[in-house]
């Protein structure tokens, strides 16, 4: 029997040692996480379809991305995400091999290698004032056998070499007060044309080789102008007058200026709408939009205007495309329900169509906002055309031969807000055939795993094991799982579109473009604000679907009209929408639900009124019962004021509204404006679960966490230190940190960091707050932690008091009791600049916390909260070491294996969202920016479940071997006993 035990222990050790490692293997990447790359809404596009090399389209986007896309499939060949403030102003191709970008208000010019996107050179352009940015690359003009790149920006005109980016010459127009809007070329001269004010038109002639001013001329137009100056040829321009009733044609011949004007009413009768010149560049033509019509107007050699055509319901007009010598084509789009009609016409021949196609496009994509066209030669030597379409929802489509070749959901590059929803409960039963099939697959799968464990698997078996692992995880099913890993991530984008993403594989389950957030004549600049859980059925999960609330308004101003939309979380159907009669300044989800499990919300407007939603009698009854328990706060960052509020009474209006309430100010904190300015605020998440309020120390002492949902962290900076790092000296910079009770306005803690400045990124969890800032004296970033403890419960440590019932643990907790608090704090150096900080959440709050730090490198670092324990000392005692307290160091460690994004980047990282799973050990993490990334993490490892790669086959083999060993040893033991009896 002893031999059997030894065999069992040996096999058990072997079994346990196979899963000792905590690191992620290469073949495990993608099993529990996914990564999606996007580019954003396209602003500029250039086709590159030469016979040699890959066919591609080069784009720049509103997310400051420069990218090269495969024209066949829409995949990204290469891309570069520039900085947040590095806005791309122009895109072009030079020397046939360089992609040229102009960005940062015309101050940075870069050249990228066309095939692989490597940067060739970068030039910083100097200037003295802010101005319009223009990138002009001449296809014919040569200067010393070098392609000349002309750039206007920062009030100066620069001539730059296309080979190495050297600035050949610079002409400063800052003293001329001209706003240059166009650059015109000739063989040896360059003309810069623009306005001074809105009626004085100037033209400056420069030497193309030296930039020397040769001549200047100007004229005063008979009226002020409106909008941009549009070029219709090398020396002809059109612009609207201020009243938008006339079109002015301006002609420049050898630097001499002449102009003509014509009434729009002379071109088209009965036009009552406002006229707008479209930015499409057409030779000798321009497009004018009035109401729902687009007029194409020709500019003759005598500078007269002739109406060529009137296009009804035109959505977009492309630039002209040179298809052969002297032949230009352009495209326009007409909407007819869900059908899109694409027309391509010859600029000089309007009698026929070069192309006429109808395409059916999902109406949830909205209207077409931009169109770019490219031609190719068919087998019959005729011209075919492909069109790149930018949709209202920021998606990108390539259309060819009446079909959508590929599409990209690039609206997901501009996520504004995120919430989650549970998936439906699985209702159907399981058939016997399915059970038998699953049993067969189970046996087959474990045979393959056993082969892999014994290293006898063939390459085909390895592929089958990987496919089986992906399939057996069931991560993409549309039903809930018992671990709570499968959920819907519901995201709101800047385009006003809502997407539901499956956490299993990141696919789009449904999407809807909200009509309340679409651009109309009534709402010209819609803005999506937030997305909330509206109805979360628990008792009726089988019968009712959860729903979400989307809040938006018609413009960035707080005074803009607001709208609400209610969406079914399972189907994406819009259940209801409301155009509100009041504004929205603040939205407060209340911790109360009605009988249908709809959550109550208070919406605060700019007139100091609070409105209750849902507007039902039951909701009013619930609020009346909890009337005295509703508190909230507001932050006026510009004025340096934090206020606390409570409900007062119903509003007094001419029209009685029982769902409207006045509120009163309970308290206010006014920070001294001459020394402090609010730069950051953060509070606890309302859904965070705290497992226990007690914290046992190393000497078996007990401290009680001060846990409250009504705590606000405020970071103030010195007025001179609110700008970028380095704008203030250490003596002029300081940070003042406050922890405030938002019910009473009591300042629980105040601390000053001298010689430090923002930006400040912070996260509040349980009784502690962690914040990141910059130390000017040390020239390094720092991370500080503050923990708050409740001293009023410090006497509850005596065992006899518990026995005799003389403790206050069961007494209610209220902010008005003014408990005595104490704090512990510590600061550490940190290597990286930070974009976002979040903390893991679990269902019961038992698992240890990890900080999720979005670094400047667009990766997410998981840092154990133990590294930010303020009790860390240089030489911890043995008891402290046993508790897990880490010896104190001056900086926080950066461990490469702690990046939960692995080697991937979430380009343009803006936010991190954590969601608890049902499995206590696991937290779900979603990071968003230009890219999206999702993963599962276990801060304390998966102590409550077996991992997916656990070898059940090896366990089965161990049991079989153990049984065999027991049987063999029993036989040997019996034989030995028999032999001893024969002696």
């Amino acid at each position: 029997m002893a031999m059997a035990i030894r065999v069992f222990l040996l096999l058990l050790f072997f079994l346990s040692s196979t899963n000792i490692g905590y690191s992620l293997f290469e073949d495990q990447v993608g099993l529990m996480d996914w990564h999606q790359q996007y580019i954003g809404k396209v602003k500029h596009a250039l086709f590159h379809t030469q016979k040699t090399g890959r066919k591609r389209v080069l784009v720049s986007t509103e997310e400051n991305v420069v990218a090269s896309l495969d024209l066949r499939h829409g995949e990204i060949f290469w891309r570069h995400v520039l900085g947040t403030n590095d806005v791309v102003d122009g895109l072009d191709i030079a020397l046939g091999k360089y992609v040229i970008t102009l960005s940062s208000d015309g101050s940075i010019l870069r050249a990228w290698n066309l095939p692989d996107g490597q940067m060739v050179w970068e030039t910083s352009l100097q200037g003295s004032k802010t101005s319009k940015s223009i990138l002009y690359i001449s296809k014919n003009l040569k200067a010393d056998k070098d392609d000349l790149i002309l750039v206007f920006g920062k009030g100066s005109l620069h001539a730059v070499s296309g080979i190495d980016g050297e600035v050949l010459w610079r002409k400063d127009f800052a003293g001329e007060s001209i706003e240059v809007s166009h650059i015109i070329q000739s063989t040896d001269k360059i003309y810069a044309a623009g306005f001074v004010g809105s009626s004085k038109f100037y033209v400056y002639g420069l030497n193309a080789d030296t930039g020397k001013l040769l001549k200047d001329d100007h004229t005063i137009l008979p009226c002020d102008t409106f909008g941009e100056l549009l070029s219709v040829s090398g020396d002809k321009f059109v612009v609207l007058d201020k009243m938008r009733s006339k079109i002015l044609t301006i002609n420049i011949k050898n630097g001499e200026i002449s102009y003509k004007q014509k009434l729009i009413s002379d071109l088209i009768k009965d036009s009552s709408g406002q006229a707008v010149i479209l930015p499409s560049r057409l030779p000798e033509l321009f497009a004018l939009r009035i109401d729902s019509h687009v007029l194409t107007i020709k500019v003759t050699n005598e500078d007269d205007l002739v109406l060529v055509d009137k296009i009804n319901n035109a959505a977009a007009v492309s630039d002209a495309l040179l298809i052969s010598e002297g032949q230009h084509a352009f495209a326009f789009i007409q909407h007819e329900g869900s059908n899109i009609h694409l027309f391509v016409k010859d600029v000089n021949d309007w009698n026929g169509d070069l192309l006429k196609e109808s395409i059916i496009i999902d109406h949830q994509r909205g209207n077409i906002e931009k169109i770019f066209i490219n031609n190719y030669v068919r087998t019959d030597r005729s011209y075919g055309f492909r069109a790149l379409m930018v949709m209202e929802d920021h998606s990108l489509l390539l259309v060819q031969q009446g079909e959508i070749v590929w599409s990209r959901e690039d609206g997901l590059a501009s996520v504004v807000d995120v919430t989650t929803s549970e998936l439906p409960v699985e209702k159907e039963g399981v058939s016997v055939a399915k059970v038998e099939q699953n049993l067969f697959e189970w046996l087959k799968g474990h045979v393959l795993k056993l082969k892999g464990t014994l290293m006898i698997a063939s390459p085909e078996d390895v592929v089958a094991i990987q496919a089986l692992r992906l399939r057996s995880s069931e991560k993409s099913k549309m039903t809930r799982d018992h671990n709570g890993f499968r959920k819907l991530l519901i995201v709101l984008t800047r385009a006003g579109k809502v997407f539901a993403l499956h956490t299993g594989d990141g696919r789009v389950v449904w999407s809807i473009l909200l009509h309340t957030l679409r651009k109309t004549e009534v709402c010209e600049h819609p803005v999506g604000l937030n997305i909330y859980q509206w109805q979360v059925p628990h008792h009726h999960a089988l019968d009712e679907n959860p729903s979400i609330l989307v809040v938006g308004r018609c413009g960035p101003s707080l005074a803009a009209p607001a709208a609400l939309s209610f969406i079914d979380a399972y189907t994406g159907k819009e259940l209801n929408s409301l155009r509100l009669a009041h504004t929205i300044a603040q939205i407060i989800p209340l911790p109360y639900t009605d009988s249908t499990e709809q959550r109550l919300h208070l919406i605060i407007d700019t007139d100091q009124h609070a409105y209750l939603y849902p507007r039902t009698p039951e909701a009013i009854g619930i609020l009346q019962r909890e009337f005295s328990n509703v508190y909230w706060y507001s932050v006026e960052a510009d004025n340096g004021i934090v206020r606390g509020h409570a409900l007062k009474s119903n509003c007094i209006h001419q029209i009685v509204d029982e769902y409207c309430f006045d509120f009163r100010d309970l308290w206010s904190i006014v920070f001294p404006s001459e020394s402090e300015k609010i730069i950051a605020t953060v509070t606890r998440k309302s859904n965070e679960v705290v497992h226990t309020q007690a914290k046992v120390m190393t000497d078996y002492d007990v401290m009680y966490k001060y846990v409250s949902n009504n705590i606000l962290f405020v970071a103030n900076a010195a007025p001179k230190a609110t700008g970028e790092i380095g704008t203030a000296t250490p003596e002029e910079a300081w940070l003042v940190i406050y922890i405030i009770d938002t019910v009473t306005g009591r300042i629980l803690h105040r601390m000053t960091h001298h010689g430090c400045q923002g930006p400040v990124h912070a996260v509040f969890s349980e009784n502690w707050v962690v914040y990141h800032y910059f130390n000017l004296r040390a020239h390094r970033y720092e991370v500080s932690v503050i923990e708050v403890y409740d001293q009023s419960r410090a006497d509850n440590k005596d065992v006899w008091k518990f026995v005799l019932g003389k403790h206050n643990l069961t007494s209610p907790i209220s902010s008005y009791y003014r408990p005595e608090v104490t704090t512990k704090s510590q600061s550490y150096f940190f290597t990286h600049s930070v974009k976002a900080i979040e903390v893991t959440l679990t269902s019961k709050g038992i698992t240890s916390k990890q900080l999720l730090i979005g670094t400047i490198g667009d990766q997410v670092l998981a840092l154990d909260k133990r590294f930010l324990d303020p009790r860390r000392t240089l030489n911890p005692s043995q008891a402290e070491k046993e508790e897990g307290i880490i010896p104190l160091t001056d900086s926080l460690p950066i461990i490469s294996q702690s990046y939960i994004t692995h080697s991937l980047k979430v380009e343009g990282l803006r936010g991190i969202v954590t969601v608890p799973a049902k499995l206590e050990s696991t937290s779900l993490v979603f990071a968003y920016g230009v890219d999206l990334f999702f993963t599962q993490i276990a801060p304390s490892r998966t102590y409550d479940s077996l991992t997916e790669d656990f070898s059940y086959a090896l366990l089965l083999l161990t049991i079989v071997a153990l049984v065999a060993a027991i049987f063999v040893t029993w036989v040997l033991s019996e034989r030995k006993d028999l032999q001893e009896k024969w002696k």
Side-chain angles (χ1 to χ4, degrees), residues 449-491:
K449 286 183 180 180
L450 182 59
K451 285 185 177 181
T453 303
L454 299 176
M455 300 183 194
I456 59 174
S458 64
E460 293 78 11
D461 290 337
V462 173
V463 174
I465 291 170
Q466 184 72 7
L468 184 67
R469 184 180 294 175
L470 288 169
R471 188 169 63 252
S472 63
S473 65
E474 296 186 337
K475 64 179 185 178
S476 58
K477 286 183 66 176
M478 279 300 298
T479 55
R480 299 182 193 183
D481 61 312
H482 64 279
N483 288 330
F485 295 162
R486 294 197 297 263
K487 296 180 186 291
L488 288 179
L489 292 168
I490 302 177
V491 301

Side-chain angles (χ1 to χ4, degrees), residues 40-56:
K41 184 181 181 181
V42 171
K43 295 194 298 186
H44 311 101
L46 296 170
F47 289 91
H48 189 265
T49 55
Q50 296 179 355
K51 292 183 179 179
T52 58
R54 294 176 172 177
K55 291 180 171 58
R56 66 184 73 214

Side-chain angles (χ1 to χ4, degrees), residues 845-968:
I846 301 172
T847 305
S848 60
K849 301 283 187 180
Q850 277 188 342
L851 288 169
L852 303 176
I853 302 174
T855 66
I856 193 65
D858 291 324
Q859 291 185 294
V860 180
L861 174 71
L863 184 66
D864 198 315
K865 171 60 174 61
R866 292 185 303 157
F867 287 109
L868 286 156
D869 192 330
R871 296 181 298 147
R872 288 177 64 184
T873 59
L874 287 173
N875 297 304
S877 64
Q878 184 61 34
E880 289 175 333
K881 290 180 181 179
E882 291 175 359
E883 187 187 346
I885 293 179
I886 303 170
L888 180 64
T889 56
D890 63 346
S891 60
L892 296 174
I894 305 295
I895 305 170
S896 58
Q897 289 87 351
S898 297
Y899 285 101
I900 65 172
T901 47
H902 321 306
S903 60
L904 304 172
K905 285 188 175 183
V906 186
E907 294 282 5
L909 178 66
R910 290 192 301 272
I912 303 171
V913 177
T914 57
V915 183
K918 290 181 181 178
L919 200 65
E920 169 57 26
S921 64
T922 307
S923 181
L924 311 180
V925 181
F926 178 62
Y928 61 91
V930 176
D931 295 346
L932 304 181
F933 178 81
F934 175 85
T935 190
Q936 303 172 12
I937 62 173
S940 300
R941 302 193 181 184
T942 51
Y943 57 83
D944 51 358
S945 67
L946 296 175
T947 59
E948 282 203 353
D949 58 349
F950 181 82
S951 180
Y952 293 93
L954 189 57
L955 177 62
L956 181 63
L957 180 63
T958 303
I959 296 172
V960 171
L962 179 61
V963 172
I966 292 172
F967 178 76
V968 170

